[in-house]
mmCIF file of all heavy atoms in Angstrom:
data_model
loop_
_atom_site.group_PDB
_atom_site.id
_atom_site.type_symbol
_atom_site.label_atom_id
_atom_site.label_comp_id
_atom_site.label_asym_id
_atom_site.label_seq_id
_atom_site.Cartn_x
_atom_site.Cartn_y
_atom_site.Cartn_z
ATOM 1 N N THR A 14 8.908 -14.855 0.749
ATOM 2 C CA THR A 14 10.109 -14.410 0.052
ATOM 3 C C THR A 14 9.923 -13.036 -0.577
ATOM 4 O O THR A 14 10.727 -12.147 -0.392
ATOM 5 C CB THR A 14 10.523 -15.416 -1.037
ATOM 6 O OG1 THR A 14 9.420 -15.609 -1.912
ATOM 7 C CG2 THR A 14 10.972 -16.730 -0.429
ATOM 8 N N ARG A 15 8.834 -12.868 -1.342
ATOM 9 C CA ARG A 15 8.511 -11.593 -1.974
ATOM 10 C C ARG A 15 7.080 -11.260 -1.630
ATOM 11 O O ARG A 15 6.176 -12.021 -1.966
ATOM 12 C CB ARG A 15 8.668 -11.674 -3.489
ATOM 13 C CG ARG A 15 10.077 -11.917 -3.945
ATOM 14 C CD ARG A 15 10.072 -11.975 -5.458
ATOM 15 N NE ARG A 15 11.403 -12.301 -5.946
ATOM 16 C CZ ARG A 15 11.675 -12.500 -7.220
ATOM 17 N NH1 ARG A 15 10.738 -12.395 -8.135
ATOM 18 N NH2 ARG A 15 12.902 -12.793 -7.601
ATOM 19 N N VAL A 16 6.879 -10.151 -0.965
ATOM 20 C CA VAL A 16 5.524 -9.768 -0.592
ATOM 21 C C VAL A 16 5.174 -8.417 -1.198
ATOM 22 O O VAL A 16 6.035 -7.562 -1.394
ATOM 23 C CB VAL A 16 5.324 -9.733 0.940
ATOM 24 C CG1 VAL A 16 5.521 -11.090 1.551
ATOM 25 C CG2 VAL A 16 6.218 -8.712 1.593
ATOM 26 N N ALA A 17 3.896 -8.271 -1.519
ATOM 27 C CA ALA A 17 3.378 -7.010 -2.050
ATOM 28 C C ALA A 17 1.888 -6.969 -1.786
ATOM 29 O O ALA A 17 1.263 -8.005 -1.483
ATOM 30 C CB ALA A 17 3.660 -6.907 -3.551
ATOM 31 N N GLY A 18 1.313 -5.790 -1.900
ATOM 32 C CA GLY A 18 -0.116 -5.625 -1.705
ATOM 33 C C GLY A 18 -0.907 -6.152 -2.890
ATOM 34 O O GLY A 18 -0.375 -6.455 -3.963
ATOM 35 N N PHE A 19 -2.220 -6.259 -2.691
ATOM 36 C CA PHE A 19 -3.130 -6.798 -3.693
ATOM 37 C C PHE A 19 -2.986 -6.051 -5.027
ATOM 38 O O PHE A 19 -2.820 -6.670 -6.076
ATOM 39 C CB PHE A 19 -4.561 -6.694 -3.165
ATOM 40 C CG PHE A 19 -5.583 -7.351 -4.038
ATOM 41 C CD1 PHE A 19 -5.823 -8.694 -3.913
ATOM 42 C CD2 PHE A 19 -6.296 -6.620 -4.967
ATOM 43 C CE1 PHE A 19 -6.774 -9.325 -4.726
ATOM 44 C CE2 PHE A 19 -7.234 -7.223 -5.775
ATOM 45 C CZ PHE A 19 -7.467 -8.577 -5.649
ATOM 46 N N GLN A 20 -3.034 -4.726 -4.980
ATOM 47 C CA GLN A 20 -2.955 -3.930 -6.226
ATOM 48 C C GLN A 20 -1.563 -4.013 -6.855
ATOM 49 O O GLN A 20 -1.430 -4.023 -8.081
ATOM 50 C CB GLN A 20 -3.329 -2.472 -5.958
ATOM 51 C CG GLN A 20 -4.786 -2.275 -5.584
ATOM 52 C CD GLN A 20 -5.736 -2.726 -6.691
ATOM 53 O OE1 GLN A 20 -5.435 -2.611 -7.876
ATOM 54 N NE2 GLN A 20 -6.881 -3.264 -6.295
ATOM 55 N N ALA A 21 -0.520 -4.068 -6.036
ATOM 56 C CA ALA A 21 0.837 -4.175 -6.585
ATOM 57 C C ALA A 21 0.980 -5.469 -7.379
ATOM 58 O O ALA A 21 1.596 -5.486 -8.447
ATOM 59 C CB ALA A 21 1.890 -4.123 -5.464
ATOM 60 N N TRP A 22 0.425 -6.567 -6.864
ATOM 61 C CA TRP A 22 0.496 -7.828 -7.603
ATOM 62 C C TRP A 22 -0.255 -7.712 -8.927
ATOM 63 O O TRP A 22 0.187 -8.238 -9.947
ATOM 64 C CB TRP A 22 -0.076 -8.991 -6.782
ATOM 65 C CG TRP A 22 0.855 -9.488 -5.734
ATOM 66 C CD1 TRP A 22 0.630 -9.561 -4.393
ATOM 67 C CD2 TRP A 22 2.185 -10.012 -5.927
ATOM 68 N NE1 TRP A 22 1.723 -10.065 -3.740
ATOM 69 C CE2 TRP A 22 2.692 -10.363 -4.654
ATOM 70 C CE3 TRP A 22 2.989 -10.203 -7.042
ATOM 71 C CZ2 TRP A 22 3.967 -10.888 -4.485
ATOM 72 C CZ3 TRP A 22 4.267 -10.733 -6.857
ATOM 73 C CH2 TRP A 22 4.733 -11.074 -5.604
ATOM 74 N N ARG A 23 -1.375 -7.007 -8.931
ATOM 75 C CA ARG A 23 -2.144 -6.848 -10.177
ATOM 76 C C ARG A 23 -1.330 -6.101 -11.220
ATOM 77 O O ARG A 23 -1.397 -6.431 -12.400
ATOM 78 C CB ARG A 23 -3.456 -6.120 -9.898
ATOM 79 C CG ARG A 23 -4.452 -7.024 -9.183
ATOM 80 C CD ARG A 23 -5.794 -6.404 -9.074
ATOM 81 N NE ARG A 23 -6.310 -6.176 -10.416
ATOM 82 C CZ ARG A 23 -7.435 -5.546 -10.668
ATOM 83 N NH1 ARG A 23 -8.161 -5.083 -9.699
ATOM 84 N NH2 ARG A 23 -7.845 -5.358 -11.907
ATOM 85 N N THR A 24 -0.570 -5.081 -10.802
ATOM 86 C CA THR A 24 0.229 -4.328 -11.773
ATOM 87 C C THR A 24 1.342 -5.173 -12.369
ATOM 88 O O THR A 24 1.859 -4.842 -13.427
ATOM 89 C CB THR A 24 0.822 -3.049 -11.157
ATOM 90 O OG1 THR A 24 1.766 -3.410 -10.134
ATOM 91 C CG2 THR A 24 -0.241 -2.122 -10.601
ATOM 92 N N MET A 25 1.715 -6.259 -11.680
ATOM 93 C CA MET A 25 2.769 -7.149 -12.178
ATOM 94 C C MET A 25 2.182 -8.338 -12.939
ATOM 95 O O MET A 25 2.902 -9.280 -13.261
ATOM 96 C CB MET A 25 3.630 -7.633 -11.023
ATOM 97 C CG MET A 25 4.510 -6.546 -10.442
ATOM 98 S SD MET A 25 5.595 -7.179 -9.164
ATOM 99 C CE MET A 25 4.735 -6.616 -7.701
ATOM 100 N N GLY A 26 0.862 -8.300 -13.199
ATOM 101 C CA GLY A 26 0.249 -9.391 -13.948
ATOM 102 C C GLY A 26 -0.011 -10.629 -13.129
ATOM 103 O O GLY A 26 -0.155 -11.723 -13.679
ATOM 104 N N ARG A 27 -0.050 -10.482 -11.810
ATOM 105 C CA ARG A 27 -0.314 -11.625 -10.928
ATOM 106 C C ARG A 27 -1.548 -11.319 -10.111
ATOM 107 O O ARG A 27 -1.880 -10.155 -9.877
ATOM 108 C CB ARG A 27 0.884 -11.914 -10.025
ATOM 109 C CG ARG A 27 2.128 -12.315 -10.833
ATOM 110 C CD ARG A 27 3.226 -12.835 -9.957
ATOM 111 N NE ARG A 27 2.918 -14.076 -9.287
ATOM 112 C CZ ARG A 27 3.037 -15.285 -9.819
ATOM 113 N NH1 ARG A 27 3.435 -15.434 -11.061
ATOM 114 N NH2 ARG A 27 2.758 -16.357 -9.107
ATOM 115 N N PHE A 28 -2.235 -12.367 -9.666
ATOM 116 C CA PHE A 28 -3.480 -12.198 -8.950
ATOM 117 C C PHE A 28 -3.459 -13.061 -7.694
ATOM 118 O O PHE A 28 -3.039 -14.209 -7.730
ATOM 119 C CB PHE A 28 -4.663 -12.590 -9.838
ATOM 120 C CG PHE A 28 -4.678 -11.786 -11.116
ATOM 121 C CD1 PHE A 28 -4.029 -12.256 -12.255
ATOM 122 C CD2 PHE A 28 -5.275 -10.542 -11.157
ATOM 123 C CE1 PHE A 28 -4.005 -11.506 -13.422
ATOM 124 C CE2 PHE A 28 -5.248 -9.786 -12.322
ATOM 125 C CZ PHE A 28 -4.626 -10.268 -13.446
ATOM 126 N N VAL A 29 -3.914 -12.485 -6.584
ATOM 127 C CA VAL A 29 -3.994 -13.222 -5.325
ATOM 128 C C VAL A 29 -5.111 -14.252 -5.456
ATOM 129 O O VAL A 29 -6.219 -13.932 -5.897
ATOM 130 C CB VAL A 29 -4.257 -12.252 -4.150
ATOM 131 C CG1 VAL A 29 -4.427 -13.029 -2.839
ATOM 132 C CG2 VAL A 29 -3.129 -11.239 -4.026
ATOM 133 N N ARG A 30 -4.798 -15.509 -5.120
ATOM 134 C CA ARG A 30 -5.791 -16.571 -5.197
ATOM 135 C C ARG A 30 -6.928 -16.333 -4.210
ATOM 136 O O ARG A 30 -6.710 -15.839 -3.099
ATOM 137 C CB ARG A 30 -5.145 -17.937 -4.907
ATOM 138 C CG ARG A 30 -4.255 -18.414 -6.041
ATOM 139 C CD ARG A 30 -3.852 -19.866 -5.835
ATOM 140 N NE ARG A 30 -2.991 -20.040 -4.677
ATOM 141 C CZ ARG A 30 -1.666 -20.034 -4.728
ATOM 142 N NH1 ARG A 30 -1.023 -19.863 -5.872
ATOM 143 N NH2 ARG A 30 -0.941 -20.206 -3.631
ATOM 144 N N LYS A 31 -8.124 -16.681 -4.611
ATOM 145 C CA LYS A 31 -9.298 -16.530 -3.777
ATOM 146 C C LYS A 31 -9.136 -17.327 -2.486
ATOM 147 O O LYS A 31 -8.681 -18.476 -2.514
ATOM 148 C CB LYS A 31 -10.540 -16.995 -4.541
ATOM 149 C CG LYS A 31 -11.824 -16.721 -3.808
ATOM 150 C CD LYS A 31 -13.017 -17.075 -4.661
ATOM 151 C CE LYS A 31 -14.294 -16.722 -3.900
ATOM 152 N NZ LYS A 31 -15.469 -16.881 -4.742
ATOM 153 N N GLY A 32 -9.455 -16.702 -1.373
ATOM 154 C CA GLY A 32 -9.389 -17.371 -0.068
ATOM 155 C C GLY A 32 -8.041 -17.264 0.634
ATOM 156 O O GLY A 32 -7.928 -17.729 1.768
ATOM 157 N N GLU A 33 -7.050 -16.683 -0.005
ATOM 158 C CA GLU A 33 -5.736 -16.541 0.641
ATOM 159 C C GLU A 33 -5.821 -15.535 1.780
ATOM 160 O O GLU A 33 -6.476 -14.499 1.655
ATOM 161 C CB GLU A 33 -4.684 -16.096 -0.364
ATOM 162 C CG GLU A 33 -4.293 -17.155 -1.355
ATOM 163 C CD GLU A 33 -3.488 -18.309 -0.764
ATOM 164 O OE1 GLU A 33 -3.012 -18.201 0.402
ATOM 165 O OE2 GLU A 33 -3.320 -19.308 -1.462
ATOM 166 N N LYS A 34 -5.148 -15.819 2.867
ATOM 167 C CA LYS A 34 -5.135 -14.942 4.034
ATOM 168 C C LYS A 34 -3.963 -13.969 3.914
ATOM 169 O O LYS A 34 -2.829 -14.384 3.694
ATOM 170 C CB LYS A 34 -4.997 -15.781 5.309
ATOM 171 C CG LYS A 34 -5.045 -14.976 6.564
ATOM 172 C CD LYS A 34 -4.893 -15.852 7.791
ATOM 173 C CE LYS A 34 -4.836 -14.985 9.035
ATOM 174 N NZ LYS A 34 -4.465 -15.767 10.212
ATOM 175 N N GLY A 35 -4.235 -12.688 4.081
ATOM 176 C CA GLY A 35 -3.195 -11.679 3.969
ATOM 177 C C GLY A 35 -2.273 -11.659 5.179
ATOM 178 O O GLY A 35 -2.625 -12.153 6.263
ATOM 179 N N ILE A 36 -1.102 -11.109 5.000
ATOM 180 C CA ILE A 36 -0.118 -10.933 6.065
ATOM 181 C C ILE A 36 -0.252 -9.496 6.537
ATOM 182 O O ILE A 36 -0.042 -8.560 5.766
ATOM 183 C CB ILE A 36 1.297 -11.215 5.535
ATOM 184 C CG1 ILE A 36 1.403 -12.619 4.953
ATOM 185 C CG2 ILE A 36 2.323 -11.000 6.652
ATOM 186 C CD1 ILE A 36 2.638 -12.843 4.113
ATOM 187 N N ALA A 37 -0.609 -9.300 7.797
ATOM 188 C CA ALA A 37 -0.840 -7.957 8.327
ATOM 189 C C ALA A 37 0.469 -7.237 8.604
ATOM 190 O O ALA A 37 1.397 -7.812 9.195
ATOM 191 C CB ALA A 37 -1.665 -8.030 9.613
ATOM 192 N N ILE A 38 0.552 -6.002 8.146
ATOM 193 C CA ILE A 38 1.683 -5.123 8.456
ATOM 194 C C ILE A 38 1.117 -3.780 8.902
ATOM 195 O O ILE A 38 -0.086 -3.551 8.814
ATOM 196 C CB ILE A 38 2.627 -4.927 7.250
ATOM 197 C CG1 ILE A 38 1.887 -4.257 6.080
ATOM 198 C CG2 ILE A 38 3.256 -6.249 6.839
ATOM 199 C CD1 ILE A 38 2.795 -3.811 4.964
ATOM 200 N N MET A 39 1.971 -2.892 9.367
ATOM 201 C CA MET A 39 1.554 -1.557 9.779
ATOM 202 C C MET A 39 1.923 -0.571 8.652
ATOM 203 O O MET A 39 3.079 -0.483 8.266
ATOM 204 C CB MET A 39 2.236 -1.140 11.074
ATOM 205 C CG MET A 39 1.891 -2.034 12.254
ATOM 206 S SD MET A 39 0.143 -2.156 12.586
ATOM 207 C CE MET A 39 -0.224 -0.520 13.104
ATOM 208 N N ALA A 40 0.894 0.137 8.148
ATOM 209 C CA ALA A 40 1.108 1.106 7.070
ATOM 210 C C ALA A 40 0.885 2.509 7.617
ATOM 211 O O ALA A 40 -0.043 2.728 8.405
ATOM 212 C CB ALA A 40 0.155 0.837 5.913
ATOM 213 N N PRO A 41 1.706 3.461 7.229
ATOM 214 C CA PRO A 41 1.546 4.821 7.740
ATOM 215 C C PRO A 41 0.310 5.516 7.151
ATOM 216 O O PRO A 41 -0.059 5.264 6.013
ATOM 217 C CB PRO A 41 2.824 5.531 7.301
ATOM 218 C CG PRO A 41 3.290 4.769 6.128
ATOM 219 C CD PRO A 41 2.853 3.337 6.346
ATOM 220 N N ILE A 42 -0.298 6.345 7.945
ATOM 221 C CA ILE A 42 -1.387 7.206 7.477
ATOM 222 C C ILE A 42 -0.758 8.581 7.291
ATOM 223 O O ILE A 42 -0.226 9.159 8.236
ATOM 224 C CB ILE A 42 -2.529 7.284 8.508
ATOM 225 C CG1 ILE A 42 -3.110 5.896 8.755
ATOM 226 C CG2 ILE A 42 -3.598 8.266 8.037
ATOM 227 C CD1 ILE A 42 -4.084 5.841 9.923
ATOM 228 N N ILE A 43 -0.780 9.066 6.055
ATOM 229 C CA ILE A 43 -0.148 10.341 5.726
ATOM 230 C C ILE A 43 -1.207 11.435 5.736
ATOM 231 O O ILE A 43 -2.264 11.277 5.148
ATOM 232 C CB ILE A 43 0.521 10.292 4.333
ATOM 233 C CG1 ILE A 43 1.492 9.107 4.239
ATOM 234 C CG2 ILE A 43 1.234 11.592 4.021
ATOM 235 C CD1 ILE A 43 2.666 9.163 5.162
ATOM 236 N N GLY A 44 -0.919 12.516 6.418
ATOM 237 C CA GLY A 44 -1.835 13.654 6.467
ATOM 238 C C GLY A 44 -1.075 14.944 6.208
ATOM 239 O O GLY A 44 0.145 14.963 6.081
ATOM 240 N N ARG A 45 -1.809 16.019 6.142
ATOM 241 C CA ARG A 45 -1.204 17.334 5.916
ATOM 242 C C ARG A 45 -1.209 18.115 7.216
ATOM 243 O O ARG A 45 -2.201 18.137 7.927
ATOM 244 C CB ARG A 45 -1.965 18.100 4.854
ATOM 245 C CG ARG A 45 -1.875 17.476 3.501
ATOM 246 C CD ARG A 45 -2.278 18.488 2.448
ATOM 247 N NE ARG A 45 -2.302 17.903 1.128
ATOM 248 C CZ ARG A 45 -1.236 17.818 0.346
ATOM 249 N NH1 ARG A 45 -0.083 18.272 0.747
ATOM 250 N NH2 ARG A 45 -1.333 17.270 -0.851
ATOM 251 N N ARG A 46 -0.087 18.753 7.497
ATOM 252 C CA ARG A 46 -0.021 19.671 8.628
ATOM 253 C C ARG A 46 -0.633 20.982 8.209
ATOM 254 O O ARG A 46 -0.738 21.305 7.022
ATOM 255 C CB ARG A 46 1.428 19.899 9.054
ATOM 256 C CG ARG A 46 1.936 18.819 9.982
ATOM 257 C CD ARG A 46 3.251 19.231 10.552
ATOM 258 N NE ARG A 46 4.273 18.742 9.612
ATOM 259 C CZ ARG A 46 5.489 19.195 9.549
ATOM 260 N NH1 ARG A 46 5.887 20.171 10.305
ATOM 261 N NH2 ARG A 46 6.332 18.690 8.693
ATOM 262 N N GLU A 47 -1.009 21.761 9.194
ATOM 263 C CA GLU A 47 -1.522 23.094 8.903
ATOM 264 C C GLU A 47 -0.469 23.872 8.126
ATOM 265 O O GLU A 47 0.715 23.559 8.158
ATOM 266 C CB GLU A 47 -1.843 23.816 10.208
ATOM 267 C CG GLU A 47 -2.959 23.168 10.997
ATOM 268 C CD GLU A 47 -4.278 23.156 10.228
ATOM 269 O OE1 GLU A 47 -4.619 24.153 9.589
ATOM 270 O OE2 GLU A 47 -4.939 22.112 10.265
ATOM 271 N N ALA A 48 -0.908 24.884 7.440
ATOM 272 C CA ALA A 48 -0.003 25.685 6.591
ATOM 273 C C ALA A 48 1.177 26.191 7.421
ATOM 274 O O ALA A 48 1.026 26.713 8.509
ATOM 275 C CB ALA A 48 -0.754 26.867 5.995
ATOM 276 N N GLU A 49 2.340 25.993 6.870
ATOM 277 C CA GLU A 49 3.560 26.478 7.492
ATOM 278 C C GLU A 49 3.673 27.984 7.254
ATOM 279 O O GLU A 49 2.983 28.535 6.401
ATOM 280 C CB GLU A 49 4.765 25.750 6.868
ATOM 281 C CG GLU A 49 4.771 24.252 7.107
ATOM 282 C CD GLU A 49 5.016 23.870 8.538
ATOM 283 O OE1 GLU A 49 5.816 24.537 9.213
ATOM 284 O OE2 GLU A 49 4.372 22.920 9.005
ATOM 285 N N PRO A 50 4.547 28.655 7.987
ATOM 286 C CA PRO A 50 4.704 30.100 7.783
ATOM 287 C C PRO A 50 5.035 30.491 6.341
ATOM 288 O O PRO A 50 4.656 31.549 5.879
ATOM 289 C CB PRO A 50 5.858 30.473 8.712
ATOM 290 C CG PRO A 50 5.867 29.413 9.762
ATOM 291 C CD PRO A 50 5.368 28.169 9.100
ATOM 292 N N ASP A 51 5.704 29.583 5.617
ATOM 293 C CA ASP A 51 6.052 29.910 4.225
ATOM 294 C C ASP A 51 4.914 29.594 3.249
ATOM 295 O O ASP A 51 5.070 29.704 2.039
ATOM 296 C CB ASP A 51 7.337 29.207 3.798
ATOM 297 C CG ASP A 51 7.222 27.684 3.858
ATOM 298 O OD1 ASP A 51 6.151 27.186 4.242
ATOM 299 O OD2 ASP A 51 8.202 27.022 3.511
ATOM 300 N N GLY A 52 3.758 29.144 3.768
ATOM 301 C CA GLY A 52 2.578 28.926 2.929
ATOM 302 C C GLY A 52 2.460 27.532 2.353
ATOM 303 O O GLY A 52 1.570 27.274 1.548
ATOM 304 N N THR A 53 3.335 26.611 2.739
ATOM 305 C CA THR A 53 3.256 25.249 2.201
ATOM 306 C C THR A 53 2.531 24.339 3.182
ATOM 307 O O THR A 53 2.528 24.574 4.392
ATOM 308 C CB THR A 53 4.658 24.661 1.947
ATOM 309 O OG1 THR A 53 5.354 24.608 3.195
ATOM 310 C CG2 THR A 53 5.426 25.498 0.952
ATOM 311 N N ASN A 54 1.895 23.316 2.664
ATOM 312 C CA ASN A 54 1.268 22.301 3.504
ATOM 313 C C ASN A 54 2.180 21.087 3.477
ATOM 314 O O ASN A 54 2.323 20.415 2.466
ATOM 315 C CB ASN A 54 -0.118 21.919 2.977
ATOM 316 C CG ASN A 54 -1.139 22.980 3.255
ATOM 317 O OD1 ASN A 54 -0.999 23.732 4.217
ATOM 318 N ND2 ASN A 54 -2.162 23.050 2.435
#
């Protein structure tokens, strides 16, 4: 019903029980592109 990562649950005062199996999802890997002509990454 409500899912969140391990650390997100900790910030809400809840803790994942020992031995619980996580639900796998796909998370993006964020990187930086080379400097653009305007000097920003």
Side-chain angles (χ1 to χ4, degrees):
T14 56
R15 295 180 184 175
V16 298
F19 186 85
Q20 292 299 327
W22 283 122
R23 286 189 61 186
T24 65
M25 289 184 258
R27 297 190 66 83
F28 303 91
V29 177
R30 288 191 293 267
K31 186 174 182 173
E33 289 289 348
K34 183 180 176 190
I36 302 166
I38 62 170
M39 298 304 293
I42 300 170
I43 307 295
R45 294 197 184 274
R46 276 191 271 160
E47 296 298 318
E49 297 291 323
D51 61 359
T53 62
N54 285 333

